[in-house]
Amino acid sequence: PKIAVVGCGCSTATEPVAEISHYWNITHISFASALSSLSDRSRFRYYFRTTPSFANSAPAILGVLNNFNWKQLAFITQNNNLFLQ
């Protein structure tokens, strides 16, 4: 049988779970965690996600800006590891 952890939803909770899942050879799948550091395959060997990382979202955001000829964009964030990478 295959065993996997599905979740966590936020990157702050996902990171520690993804970091230890390899000790038990358990696949970890997240549906919403977008922290760019989670893309490090040497650190998170058993982690997979269904949403792109923030780094991979940048070209899409740039495309929306260019399409509508917008010159400015603002993000509201909090002082958290999630938004500092």
Side-chain angles (χ1 to χ4, degrees), residues 62-72:
L62 184 60
V64 170
L65 288 171
N66 289 334
N67 185 62
F68 292 105
N69 292 320
W70 292 346
K71 304 297 180 203
Q72 295 182 347

Side-chain angles (χ1 to χ4, degrees), residues 12-34:
T12 305
T14 297
E15 190 171 26
V17 175
E19 200 161 27
I20 64 170
S21 64
H22 73 276
Y23 289 114
W24 297 280
N25 295 324
I26 295 175
T27 301
H28 180 196
I29 303 167
S30 175
F31 55 89
S33 300

